[in-house]
Structures are given as structure tokens and as C-alpha cells.
Amino acid sequence: MTKTKLVLVSLMVAATMLVSATVSVAAPIVIKFSHVVAENTPKGQMANKFRDLIAERLDGKVVVEVFPNSQLFGDNKVLEAMLLGDVQLAAPSVSKFEKYTDSLQIFDLPFLFKDMAAVEKFQQGPVGQKMLMSMKKKGLIGLGYLHNGMKQLSASDPLRVPADAAGKKFRIMTSDVLAAQFEAVDALPLKKPFSEVFTLLQTRAIDGQENTWSNIYSKKFFEVQPYITESNHGVLDYLVITSTEFWMDLPDDIRTEVKKALDEAIAFGNQISEKKAIEDRQKIIDSGRSEIIELADAQRQQWVDAMKPVWKKFEDKIGKEYIDAAVASN
Ligand code: SIN
């Protein structure tokens, strides 16, 4: 090879290396968003909205891939996967963070919040905002709260007063507060992943569960639970979460845009959550598969009296000043 040819070949090799380096630098940042519910729920809609906003605004720079229905990870695994970098975004129920922080357990205290407006007020206040960062040292950052709604009790037999729940098995999320809530009415709580609830109910391995209208409808629990007591005894809310490492590694301008899109998607999800609760409740009534039991004031008071002592049990763990702030938001 002549000297000129050698120089030319070397230049071509260098150019090829430069092009491939440029291509790999320009590869989009992938955000995998894993969740456990159906797409026609507040969380499912929020996740899809976020994906669409990012596609519109950060096309080619960031790609969001949404995995609904526990396709990628169940809630019991997703936080570990996030810390390993296998998933970047999730929105587990606030009841599923007990391994990482005590403070979020406040949301599981029965009959604490009067309605979703009170939940929103508390979350946007100083205590709620502080709680977003309560797991930062453990590698997780809360980016916002997303609502689903108030929980109802479904069962294979009618539940009108606490004594009706005694001796019955209820599936719960992984929360000691929820376990204590069912123990307070002499029921047997079982911590099980969301993806198993339908089969557990269908096979009568359990007698009942607690959930929102949206989850009871979209996961067809109402088809295998002849009674739903409209108890509104607790709240099912989500924490949109990411890993501290992933979040801090994002370039500043991208992080700002991603957060903006996320805030808009959360606002959208929160806006539809109330509407979905009303619509899905009505669809369950229309199906004729499940009877909805409305509690008389005296009956509801019996549930309050039986379950409220759970507050005291967890007061030291959660913090009395946090509980007081929640009560003040009612
Ligand atoms: C969810 O809404 O994300 C699941 C709630 C549950 O586990 O019951």
C-alpha cells in the first residue's frame, strides 16, 4: 500500500469511528414505566399521557415505554428493579413502601381522610411535600402523588357491621397498618400481590378484599364478589417514583422537560380519577353482578369505632404531628 493510500484508509476508519460514536451519543434515553393496573384506570391513563407528551416534546431524545398489568414487574419487585436500573419510573400504591419509609404509612390509617380533596390538601402541604423526599437516601425520589380514590370492601357475603368481617380472609397490600385494620375487626389479612387477587377471589381462597371502584371494575373483581360495601374507609393513592441515580444523571434541560410532562400527566390522571370512580361504580351496578351495600350512619360508625384505634398503634412510627396535619386537612 502506498503512503497516500494508507493515510486515506486511516482517515476513513477514523471517520467511521466518529460517526458511530455520534450515533451512540444521540441514542434516546429510555424511560421504562412499569405499573400493575389496567390501561383504562387513572394510573394507566396517566402513564400513557406521559408517554405521549414526551413523544411530542422530546422526540428522539427521550422515549417512554409503558408496561401495564404487571407485565414487567409486580409492585413487590418494582422498587428493587428500580434500584438496579431495570426500570426508571413506577407509581406503586403508597401502601407498598413500608420497607423504605414509615411516613407513607399514614395513608393507610382507616377513616383518616374524609375525601380525596382532603388527601390532595395534605399532599400539597408541607408534610406531604416533605414525604416525597423521605426515601432519597435509600435511592428513591417521589416525583408526585397520583390519586385513584377511596377504598371499598368487597366480599362473598354482605358486610354491614364489623362483626360480619370476623373470621373472614381479606387480601391486603404489603402494609402492617392494613393488617392491623383488618385485625381490628377480627378478620384475617393476607398480603398478596395485586396480580393474584382475581384468582384468589374466584377460587374462594380468600373471602374479600379492599379496593377502589376503578380497580374493582377494571380487574373484574365485581364478577366474583357478590357484595361491595361502600365504606370509603381508606384511600388508595400512588407515589410516582424514580431512582435518585437515574434522576440526578439526567441532563438538566431534559430533567426539567420530563418533570413538566410528568406534572401535566399527573394533573390529567387526578382530574379523571374522580370521574372514573363514579363511572366504574355505575358500571358495576349496571352489570347486576354485585350488590352495593350503602351503610346507615350508625353502621358506618361501628366500623369507625372498631378501626380507629389503629391510629394510636402506629402513632409513634408515623409521627403524631403528621397525623394531626392529616386530620387538619379534612
Ligand atoms: C394499584 O392500584 O396499583 C394496585 C392496588 C392494589 O394492590 O390493590
Side-chain angles (χ1 to χ4, degrees):
M1 209 182 280
T2 63
K3 205 174 168 191
T4 332
K5 259 191 179 165
L6 196 68
V7 170
L8 263 175
V9 169
S10 310
L11 277 173
M12 276 165 70
V13 170
T16 312
M17 281 169 69
L18 192 68
V19 167
S20 45
T22 311
V23 168
S24 72
V25 165
I29 297 164
V30 177
I31 299 181
K32 289 188 185 161
F33 189 157
S34 171
H35 68 81
V36 298
V37 291
E39 289 189 278
N40 61 339
T41 56
K43 183 158 53 180
Q45 301 276 301
M46 174 265 158
N48 291 351
K49 177 83 175 173
F50 173 64
R51 177 196 60 205
D52 296 347
L53 288 174
I54 291 291
E56 246 171 66
R57 298 176 188 171
L58 290 171
D59 188 25
K61 292 187 188 158
V62 180
V63 175
V64 176
E65 295 171 357
V66 179
F67 299 88
N69 293 313
S70 312
Q71 273 167 20
L72 193 59
F73 294 107
D75 274 345
N76 300 342
K77 287 270 171 296
V78 75
L79 297 176
E80 286 164 35
M82 186 167 276
L83 291 171
L84 292 171
D86 294 335
V87 61
Q88 288 68 40
L89 215 56
S93 152
V94 283
S95 314
K96 296 177 181 172
F97 288 90
E98 157 171 293
K99 260 165 68 182
Y100 299 87
T101 176
D102 289 336
S103 62
L104 285 170
Q105 291 184 36
I106 193 167
F107 292 106
D108 288 337
L109 294 176
F111 298 103
L112 179 62
F113 295 103
K114 150 171 134 277
D115 53 26
M116 293 311 292
V119 175
E120 172 73 16
K121 191 170 165 196
F122 173 72
Q123 290 174 341
Q124 297 314 321
V127 176
Q129 290 301 298
K130 192 169 155 198
M131 279 166 29
L132 291 175
M133 287 297 158
S134 61
M135 296 171 282
K136 192 166 176 218
K137 283 198 189 122
K138 299 208 169 131
L140 297 168
I141 292 184
L143 297 173
Y145 295 101
L146 176 70
H147 306 322
N148 186 321
M150 301 301 282
K151 288 183 293 187
Q152 321 301 335
L153 290 166
S154 77
S156 39
D157 292 303
L159 302 176
R160 294 193 173 85
V161 291
D164 296 333
K168 296 208 161 41
K169 291 188 201 127
F170 288 85
R171 176 268 173 174
I172 54 163
M173 295 180 272
T174 47
S175 155
D176 286 347
V177 178
L178 296 180
Q181 169 195 275
F182 279 101
E183 281 158 5
V185 295
D186 296 322
L188 308 166
L190 288 156
K191 293 178 182 173
K192 294 284 178 190
F194 187 57
S195 55
E196 290 176 23
V197 181
F198 180 85
T199 309
L200 289 167
L201 294 172
Q202 190 185 36
T203 58
R204 296 286 178 109
I206 54 172
D207 304 293
Q209 60 89 46
E210 52 165 14
N211 233 304
T212 58
W213 292 116
S214 153
N215 282 349
I216 295 172
Y217 177 70
S218 61
K219 287 292 176 190
K220 303 193 188 319
F221 299 162
F222 70 100
E223 292 185 1
V224 287
Q225 289 276 265
Y227 300 98
I228 304 173
T229 300
E230 189 160 33
S231 50
N232 290 314
H233 63 281
V235 59
L236 175 55
D237 221 78
Y238 305 119
L239 187 66
V240 181
I241 192 103
T242 190
S243 86
T244 313
E245 192 181 341
F246 169 75
W247 194 243
M248 297 326 289
D249 278 356
L250 286 176
D252 288 351
D253 57 332
I254 299 276
R255 194 187 312 112
T256 305
E257 279 300 318
V258 170
K259 181 69 168 66
K260 194 162 163 258
L262 203 52
D263 288 346
E264 285 177 42
I266 290 174
F268 172 76
N270 284 344
Q271 200 189 322
I272 62 172
S273 63
E274 208 167 319
K275 201 167 135 253
K276 276 218 84 44
I278 296 166
E279 278 171 14
D280 290 348
R281 177 184 182 277
Q282 191 55 46
K283 284 182 192 157
I284 293 170
I285 295 174
D286 295 345
S287 76
R289 301 286 292 264
S290 196
E291 185 190 326
I292 294 182
I293 299 170
E294 291 177 30
L295 296 175
D297 289 349
Q299 290 172 327
R300 192 165 193 276
Q301 193 55 46
Q302 284 195 45
W303 290 94
V304 176
D305 293 344
M307 289 179 163
K308 221 171 146 179
V310 170
W311 295 18
K312 195 83 197 144
K313 209 168 164 191
F314 287 87
E315 193 179 271
D316 289 345
K317 215 167 177 204
I318 294 170
K320 181 158 179 350
E321 66 289 7
Y322 281 23
I323 298 176
D324 290 345
V327 171
S329 67
N330 281 320

